[in-house]
């Protein structure tokens, strides 16, 4: 096995020139975060709670959420925020309940504000919740 | 003024010790006058107050007094107040107009006068003894006094007599809390009793699975006897014996099988006749009352649903003079326990192995939305059930139409029913207007089992004005005198051509009423039958500007609204060639007619017959859980009110169809009930005006000539079993018991005929 992955903190990178570069940066970010998953599981003792594949799925879902964006500057900003979040998690600046509540997909633990309910109207959202609205 | 001897006794402090502390001790003086010590002298020396401006009195209950002959009004004085009453009023009714409620047990405003309880005694000037106000007619210038010592003593005495033989059952009696005897003894009875002998007891009678009898509690008011013979038309009950040995019962071992038998429970002022299914279940003060509408038949009787938490405990009638007066049929009253059984609570999809699996709403709607796009528009069929409200039928029709199909109808309306002119499916003389008829011609309808309240109205008219009734149809039993004219369309043809002996009675009647049953809509020759009925109507002046006697009696609560909204079956082969069938509560659909490869969605509240064929089940709410608009057979629009919360994960009918439309991509433009109602307003505005009757605008003169001929098959009975007609009653245990009794009676009747 290669040496364990370490997250190198680079300064604020310059803006990406076009969409292709932004895409490349997104995939680099995804690779870096997936490679940090074993460290995260070790730090927060998530071995019995979640499988690495589920964490990968959670990360990819969040990225897919914003898959419709085409402006490179917006993508850069989102990547910056994503990197900030990833650094916080790897630095143990968060705690276990944060990770479980935000990234472990369970019964209603993570709000599925993803693409499933995005296009739906208030009526349908209320209808799925209860009869009285 | 004459005070006489003023006797005053003062209480002085007994001992000196107390006197020293008695600086602020006051002397109490007891003053008594001879007028206060004897009732007669008090009555004599009452000084007349000078003519003050007295406040106007309102009749009790906010009732309106109808003067049929304004010149014939009499003036009487009730407790000093002058009131004007119509000529035939009794003293009790005059006191009601004056706002004075006189206690009574045996008097009921809708029954004949008995005058045997003597609780309504009031004092009338110049009369040697107090008079029974329920029986004494009010004469002009009568001075009635209801709160004098004589009247009060009379009430105390009557109360004492009634309570002498009355058992101490209040803790175990169901009527406790709503008992006339309890209330009136608190208000008018004396505070102590003097009875030291043994009380008598009476053996209980078996009146059937609905009415529980504890005849020891009976006070022999005979309200039930008069109700059974006058309103229900069956002479089942009677008073046997005399004096203290009097017993109410059926002389033979007979059960009360009338369809109005449950109303004696309301009428009985004590706990002698109570509801057997409701026995020992709840006290009336822990129940929440909700005023709503019944949907078991097309009459729309006003009911009050008493519920405790999520459970409906009982159903009681509400007063509505125009539709059901104060009565409801047994089916309406006792079907509530079907609301607890066989309820659909979660969306379900049929697996590949044929079993149903509970899923979430997202998955169920997604599956239906997928399938509906795979079929051609002509193969989509929507059928509304007999208990559907107008909002859900409107949304269903909009959805099916937006998917490109025209095949949406309500069950009970066969192919080719013409809903252009409203007179052709409504009760045009209105249910209360039937009282003015003096001749009834019933064509293919048995009102006793189809609409019990309409039958009660006919019975009332027959009893009051000796109206004649002629009936064309299969042999059926009626609770009034009825001539069985024939069994089929041949008799109709004879009457139309004037050859039948009944025609003379028809011609001589001033206000004839023809009632046609909606079961005839399912016949292939219905156009011919309807045109012959209309020719009878025309020949005998049945439809006039002041009286429209051509009536149609619908069978289901949803039928009138569906015909107003336009849910009509256009093509006869729609169901046989369907690939997607949406059943919204439709259980009476012939499931065999649906092709084997069709995808069936069932949306309803009970797992009845059609569920077993369904591929997807969507749970909906029942009529006690939703706010829905229903139109009754005379065109009167009413709204149900939710009394209990929905079961499980069920939703309202219209919300399900609206959500399905959004998931299928044809999102409907409204998303609240006000939006649905404004959509209904543009289609059938009478359905938005609740508590109003919209009469039909045009008469039969606009209909084109009919060329078809009538077939000779006789009319078939429409309702086989009165107690099992919709999904709620089929799931009810009480209804099952009643129908078992009914079948046993039928079998024994048949046996009796064959043994002769």
């Amino acid at each position: 096995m290669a040496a364990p992955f370490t997250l190198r903190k680079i300064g604020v990178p310059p803006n990406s020139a076009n969409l292709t570069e932004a895409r490349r940066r997104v995939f680099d970010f995804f690779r870096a975060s997936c490679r940090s998953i074993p460290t995260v599981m070790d730090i927060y003792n998530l071995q019995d709670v979640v499988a690495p594949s589920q964490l990968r799925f959670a990360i990819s879902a969040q990225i897919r959420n914003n898959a419709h964006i085409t402006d490179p500057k917006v993508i850069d900003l989102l990547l910056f925020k994503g990197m900030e979040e990833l650094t916080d998690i790897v630095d143990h600046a968060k705690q276990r309940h944060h990770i479980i509540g935000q990234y472990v997909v369970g019964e209603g633990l993570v709000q599925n504000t993803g693409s499933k309910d995005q296009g739906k109207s208030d009526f349908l959202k209320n209808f799925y919740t209860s009869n009285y609205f | 003024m004459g005070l006489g001897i003023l006797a005053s006794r003062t209480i002085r402090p007994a001992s000196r010790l107390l006197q020293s502390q008695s600086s602020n001790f006051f002397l109490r003086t007891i003053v008594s006058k001879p007028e206060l010590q004897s009732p007669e002298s008090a009555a004599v020396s009452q000084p007349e107050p000078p003519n003050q401006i007295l406040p106007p009195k309102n009749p009790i209950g906010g009732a309106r007094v109808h003067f049929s002959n304004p010149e014939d009004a009499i003036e009487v004085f009730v407790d000093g107040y002058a009131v004007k009453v119509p000529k035939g009023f009794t003293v009790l009714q005059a006191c009601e107009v004056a706002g004075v409620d006189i206690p009574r047990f045996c008097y009921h405003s809708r029954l004949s006068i008995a005058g045997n309880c003597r609780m309504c005694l009031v004092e009338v000037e110049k009369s040697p003894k107090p008079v029974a106000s329920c029986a004494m007619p009010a004469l002009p210038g009568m001075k009635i006094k209801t709160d004098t010592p004589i009247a009060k003593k009379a009430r105390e005495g009557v109360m004492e007599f009634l309570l002498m033989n009355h058992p101490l059952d209040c803790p175990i009696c169901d009527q406790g809390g709503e008992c006339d005897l309890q209330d009136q003894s608190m208000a008018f009875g004396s505070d102590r009793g003097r009875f030291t002998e043994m009380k008598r007891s009476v053996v209980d009678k078996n009146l059937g699975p609905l009415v529980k009898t504890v005849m020891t509690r009976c006070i022999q008011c005979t309200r039930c006897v008069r109700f059974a013979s006058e309103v229900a038309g069956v002479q089942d009950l009677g008073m046997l014996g005399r004096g203290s040995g009097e017993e109410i019962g059926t002389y033979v071992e007979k059960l009360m099988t009338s369809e109005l038998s449950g109303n004696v429970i309301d009428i009985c002022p004590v706990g002698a006749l109570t509801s057997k299914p409701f026995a020992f279940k709840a006290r009336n003060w822990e129940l929440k009352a909700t005023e709503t509408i019944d949907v078991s038949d097309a009459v729309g009787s006003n009911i009050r649903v008493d519920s405790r938490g999520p459970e409906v405990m009982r159903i009681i009638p509400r007063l509505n003079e125009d539709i059901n007066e104060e009565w409801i049929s047994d089916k309406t009253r006792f079907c509530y326990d079907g609301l607890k059984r066989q309820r659909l609570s979660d969306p379900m999809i049929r697996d590949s192995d044929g079993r149903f699996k509970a899923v979430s709403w997202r998955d169920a709607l997604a599956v239906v939305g997928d399938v509906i796009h795979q079929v051609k528009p002509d193969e989509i069929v929507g059928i509304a059930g007999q208990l559907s409200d107008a909002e859900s039928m409107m949304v269903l029709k909009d959805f099916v139409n937006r998917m490109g199909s025209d095949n949406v109808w309500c069950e009970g309306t066969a192919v080719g029913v013409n809903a252009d002119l409203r007179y052709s499916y409504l009760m045009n003389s209105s249910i209360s207007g039937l009282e003015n008829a003096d001749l009834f011609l019933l064509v293919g309808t048995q009102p006793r089992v189809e609409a019990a309240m309409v039958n009660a109205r006919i019975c009332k008219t027959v009893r009051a004005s000796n109206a004649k009734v002629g009936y064309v149809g299969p042999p059926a039993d009626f609770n009034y005198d009825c001539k069985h004219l024939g069994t089929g369309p041949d008799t109709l043809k004879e009457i139309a051509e004037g050859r039948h002996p009944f025609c003379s009675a028809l011609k001589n009647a001033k206000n004839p009423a023809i009632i046609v049953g909606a079961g005839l809509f399912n016949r292939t020759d219905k156009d011919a039958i309807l045109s012959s009925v209309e020719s009878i109507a025309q020949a005998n002046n049945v439809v006039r500007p002041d009286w429209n006697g051509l009536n149609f009696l619908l069978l289901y609560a949803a039928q009138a609204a569906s015909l107003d909204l336009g849910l009509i079956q256009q093509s006869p082969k729609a169901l046989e060639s369907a690939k997607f069938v949406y059943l919204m509560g439709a259980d009476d659909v012939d499931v065999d007619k649906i092709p084997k490869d069709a995808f069936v969605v069932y949306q309803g509240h009970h797992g009845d017959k059609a569920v077993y064929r369904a591929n997807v089940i969507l749970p909906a709410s029942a009529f006690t859980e939703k706010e829905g608009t229903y139109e009754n057979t005379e065109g009167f629009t009413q709204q149900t009110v939710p009394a209990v919360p929905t079961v499980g994960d069920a939703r309202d009918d219209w919300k399900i169809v609206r959500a399905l439309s959004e998931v299928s991509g044809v999102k409907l433009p409204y998303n609240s009930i006000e939006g649905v109602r404004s959509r209904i307003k543009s289609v059938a505005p009478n359905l938005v005006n609740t508590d109003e009757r919209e009469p039909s605008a045009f008469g039969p003169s606009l209909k084109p000539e009919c060329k078809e001929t009538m077939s000779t098959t006789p009319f078939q009975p429409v309702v086989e079993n009165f107690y099992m007609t919709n999904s709620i009653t089929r799931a009810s245990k009480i209804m099952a018991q009643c129908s078992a009794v009914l079948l046993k009676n039928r079998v024994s009747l048949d046996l009796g005929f064959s043994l002769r």
Side-chain angles (χ1 to χ4, degrees):
Chain A
M1 274 289 290
F5 177 76
T6 43
L7 201 60
R8 250 170 248 117
K9 293 173 223 340
I10 331 163
V12 177
N15 275 339
S16 29
N18 46 23
L19 192 56
T20 332
E21 200 181 326
R23 264 175 73 90
R24 199 179 54 77
R25 286 218 180 126
V26 169
F27 292 136
D28 286 344
F29 167 71
F30 182 65
R31 255 179 243 124
S33 47
C34 285
R35 281 168 189 157
S36 332
I37 284 180
T39 326
V40 166
M41 291 191 66
D42 192 40
I43 297 173
Y44 298 100
N45 289 321
L46 297 172
Q47 290 87 358
D48 299 316
V49 177
V50 74
S53 59
Q54 283 177 295
L55 284 177
R56 281 195 287 272
F57 178 79
I59 299 170
S60 60
Q62 300 239 345
I63 295 176
R64 233 175 259 130
N65 230 342
N66 297 317
H68 54 279
I69 297 178
T70 50
D71 188 358
K73 286 208 194 105
V74 177
I75 296 178
D76 282 341
L77 184 66
L78 290 169
L79 278 178
F80 180 77
K81 298 204 96 62
M83 206 60 208
E84 194 179 20
E85 179 81 7
L86 179 64
T87 318
D88 282 342
I89 293 176
V90 171
D91 280 347
H92 209 333
K94 293 212 169 203
Q95 285 169 330
R96 195 164 178 259
H97 66 277
H98 293 121
I99 312 297
I100 293 179
Q102 287 165 0
Y103 296 104
V104 176
V105 181
E107 274 167 350
L109 274 180
V110 174
Q111 247 94 24
N112 276 328
T113 51
S115 53
K116 207 162 38 152
D117 270 351
Q118 231 170 19
K120 294 198 176 76
S121 63
D122 283 334
F123 177 88
L124 214 51
K125 284 198 203 114
N126 288 336
F127 177 85
Y128 287 145
T129 334
S130 97
N131 188 32
Y132 297 104
F133 57 86
Chain B
M1 287 269 278
L3 279 179
I5 302 168
L6 184 74
S8 72
R9 263 181 269 142
T10 57
I11 299 178
R12 293 181 189 282
S15 68
R16 281 184 183 274
L17 191 59
L18 285 170
Q19 203 167 20
S20 60
Q21 297 164 347
S22 66
S23 52
N24 47 3
F25 192 95
F26 57 89
L27 298 173
R28 211 182 76 182
T29 311
I30 298 174
V31 178
S32 177
K33 297 176 249 182
E35 290 90 5
L36 294 172
Q37 281 169 346
S38 67
E40 289 82 3
S41 55
V44 156
S45 65
Q46 197 72 250
E48 288 291 325
N51 285 346
Q52 314 150 344
I53 311 282
L54 299 166
K57 289 286 204 114
N58 295 322
I60 46 170
R64 295 164 299 190
V65 190
H66 171 67
F67 286 87
S68 49
N69 233 346
E71 307 88 41
D72 262 342
I74 317 173
E75 195 181 34
V76 294
F77 299 92
V78 175
D79 291 342
Y81 291 85
V83 285
K84 275 203 160 8
V85 294
K87 188 150 175 257
F89 265 30
T90 53
V91 170
L92 191 143
Q93 287 172 315
C95 294
E96 276 181 357
V97 172
V100 176
D101 199 1
I102 295 184
R104 81 291 294 264
F105 287 111
C106 69
Y107 172 77
H108 191 86
S109 50
R110 294 184 201 277
L111 303 174
S112 58
I113 297 174
N116 55 27
C117 72
R118 313 310 286 178
M119 191 68 185
C120 56
L121 296 174
V122 296
E123 194 186 339
V124 165
E125 212 168 280
K126 296 194 216 72
S127 168
K129 39 187 191 171
V131 309
S133 53
C134 64
M136 169 77 94
L139 303 168
M142 222 182 207
K143 287 199 185 27
I144 304 162
K145 290 192 267 260
T146 60
D147 54 357
T148 54
I150 292 184
K152 291 186 182 166
K153 208 108 188 95
R155 287 173 194 156
E156 281 177 24
V158 171
M159 213 64 236
E160 191 179 347
F161 274 119
L162 283 175
L163 290 171
M164 262 184 216
N165 264 328
H166 198 77
L168 305 175
D169 275 355
C170 286
I172 52 171
C173 176
D174 281 307
Q175 199 97 342
E178 44 184 19
C179 175
D180 279 1
L181 203 64
Q182 274 182 347
D183 299 338
Q184 286 179 27
S185 70
M186 283 299 288
F188 306 107
S190 80
D191 55 344
R192 54 205 78 185
R194 313 180 259 196
F195 187 67
T196 47
E197 282 87 43
M198 294 289 290
K199 294 190 187 232
R200 69 98 176 86
S201 64
V202 180
V203 60
D204 293 340
K205 316 286 184 296
N206 179 16
L207 292 183
L210 299 176
V211 180
K212 174 182 171 189
T213 61
V214 183
M215 297 322 283
T216 318
R217 301 175 190 158
C218 175
I219 55 173
Q220 290 91 24
C221 68
T222 61
R223 269 189 190 175
C224 52
V225 174
R226 284 174 280 146
F227 174 83
S229 71
E230 291 164 27
V231 179
V234 290
Q235 270 93 29
D236 272 348
L237 294 169
M239 178 82 90
L240 304 156
R242 288 203 190 94
S244 66
E246 278 183 325
E247 288 183 21
I248 300 257
T250 57
Y251 183 55
V252 292
E253 289 276 331
K254 203 170 155 209
L255 305 177
M256 271 192 91
T257 46
S258 158
E259 74 280 0
L260 295 176
S261 66
N263 292 298
V264 294
I265 299 168
D266 292 330
I267 275 210
C268 182
V270 296
L273 300 173
T274 47
S275 162
K276 208 180 243 188
F278 182 64
F280 307 128
K281 288 272 163 62
R283 284 294 187 194
N284 74 320
W285 57 79
E286 55 184 7
L287 301 173
K288 176 181 110 165
T290 315
E291 299 188 343
T292 173
I293 306 294
D294 160 61
V295 297
S296 62
D297 55 12
V299 170
S301 325
N302 293 45
I303 54 173
R304 194 186 91 193
V305 171
D306 284 345
S307 60
R308 183 174 63 184
E311 199 184 332
V312 172
M313 301 303 294
R314 68 175 173 180
I315 293 182
I316 299 257
R318 246 196 310 151
L319 173 67
N320 185 323
E321 285 289 347
D322 297 322
I323 302 177
N324 65 317
E325 294 179 300
E326 270 176 49
W327 323 119
I328 46 174
S329 69
D330 281 353
K331 192 164 50 169
T332 310
R333 192 184 284 268
F334 292 114
C335 67
Y336 61 84
D337 77 327
L339 292 167
K340 300 176 206 159
R341 289 188 65 235
Q342 299 277 72
R343 289 300 296 267
L344 303 172
S345 61
D346 288 306
M348 293 199 207
I349 301 184
R350 201 188 277 266
D351 255 348
S352 43
D353 59 349
R355 295 177 60 110
F356 279 108
K357 196 178 55 144
V359 295
S360 72
W361 273 105
R362 275 203 182 85
D363 300 334
L365 289 182
V367 163
V368 181
D370 277 338
V371 174
I372 203 169
H373 280 294
Q374 293 164 9
V375 295
K376 289 208 284 285
D378 281 332
E379 295 165 348
I380 300 178
V381 166
I383 309 181
Q386 47 170 293
L387 305 177
S388 312
D389 53 335
E391 283 94 1
S392 48
M393 287 197 285
M394 181 83 256
V395 179
L396 179 70
K397 182 163 166 51
D398 274 352
F399 172 58
V400 173
N401 285 349
R402 277 198 190 212
M403 293 304 298
S405 159
D406 202 18
N407 305 322
V408 56
W409 67 85
C410 179
E411 64 180 0
T413 36
V415 182
V417 167
N418 201 334
D420 292 335
L421 300 169
R422 281 178 90 231
Y423 84 89
S424 60
Y425 54 84
L426 287 186
M427 182 155 279
N428 292 302
S429 50
S430 86
I431 300 181
S432 54
L434 284 179
E435 280 182 39
N436 300 330
D438 54 357
L439 180 117
F440 292 94
L441 176 60
L442 307 173
V443 181
T445 173
Q446 298 91 37
R448 197 168 181 196
V449 289
E450 287 174 23
M453 294 331 324
V454 172
N455 194 49
R457 208 59 90 130
I458 300 176
C459 185
K460 184 177 170 189
T461 317
V462 167
R463 219 192 121 79
S465 60
N466 254 334
K468 295 199 201 31
V469 183
Y471 167 65
V472 181
D477 53 334
F478 287 86
N479 44 355
Y480 36 80
D481 288 323
C482 170
K483 277 209 219 35
H484 190 178
L485 304 175
T487 49
D490 305 330
T491 327
L492 266 187
K493 220 193 306 193
E494 279 178 35
I495 301 179
E497 289 164 10
R499 289 185 277 133
H500 202 277
F502 193 67
C503 297
S504 56
L506 255 180
K507 281 216 180 348
N508 294 337
K510 277 199 286 297
N511 290 340
I514 307 179
I515 304 185
V516 183
L520 295 184
F521 289 175
N522 292 331
R523 288 173 65 106
T524 42
D525 58 344
K526 70 167 163 326
D527 286 326
I529 294 182
L530 292 178
S531 75
S532 96
V533 166
E534 276 162 23
S535 60
I536 298 177
Q538 211 163 11
N540 296 298
N541 210 8
V542 172
V543 182
R544 308 190 290 260
D546 60 326
W547 166 258
N548 189 340
L550 182 59
N551 300 313
F552 290 83
L553 184 58
L554 297 172
L555 293 168
Y556 306 131
Q559 251 180 324
S562 72
L563 291 168
D564 272 356
L565 291 172
L567 274 82
I568 309 173
Q569 193 174 0
Q570 309 274 30
S571 54
K573 291 279 167 255
L575 195 54
E576 279 91 358
S577 63
K579 289 279 184 301
F580 179 90
V581 182
Y582 196 94
L583 301 172
M584 196 167 76
D587 285 303
D588 290 335
V589 165
D590 197 358
V591 175
D592 299 322
K593 271 210 211 145
I594 305 177
K596 292 279 176 291
D597 57 344
F599 188 86
V600 178
V601 179
Y602 182 81
Q603 173 187 318
H605 40 80
H606 273 83
D608 207 35
K609 297 187 223 165
V611 161
Y612 295 101
R613 169 65 188 84
N615 296 78
V616 173
I617 298 179
L618 301 174
S621 51
F623 77 99
T624 43
E625 300 150 9
K626 68 177 167 190
E627 193 184 306
T629 309
Y630 289 90
E631 191 185 347
N632 77 349
T633 179
E634 58 174 3
F636 196 93
T637 315
Q638 289 167 312
Q639 236 181 44
T640 56
V641 177
V644 287
T646 47
V647 170
D649 219 2
R651 305 277 188 267
D652 286 345
D653 287 285
W654 72 268
K655 286 184 189 161
I656 299 176
V657 186
R658 161 71 179 76
L660 178 60
S661 75
E662 187 164 343
V663 167
S664 310
V666 287
K667 186 166 127 172
L668 292 166
Y670 33 77
N671 57 3
S672 69
I673 198 149
E674 289 86 21
V676 180
R677 291 213 175 111
S678 65
R679 169 78 181 116
I680 292 181
K681 194 168 177 183
S682 64
V683 174
N686 61 314
L687 288 175
V688 181
N689 306 330
T690 44
D691 294 333
E692 269 175 39
R693 178 176 176 254
E694 181 76 33
S696 54
F698 298 104
S701 52
L702 283 184
K703 225 168 172 197
E705 284 289 323
C706 165
K707 306 284 184 306
E708 292 170 21
T709 50
M710 294 197 275
S711 78
T712 47
T713 42
F715 297 139
Q716 298 297 326
V718 185
V719 172
E720 290 292 340
N721 187 346
F722 169 67
Y723 295 107
M724 301 262 182
T725 49
N726 57 29
S727 55
I728 302 179
T729 49
R730 280 189 285 258
S732 154
K733 180 173 153 199
I734 310 171
M735 293 288 108
Q737 286 171 329
C738 293
S739 87
V741 165
L742 182 75
L743 288 174
K744 203 165 71 147
N745 276 355
R746 264 197 212 148
V747 164
S748 63
L749 272 178
D750 287 339
L751 274 180
F753 281 127
S754 64
L755 280 176
R756 254 188 232 137

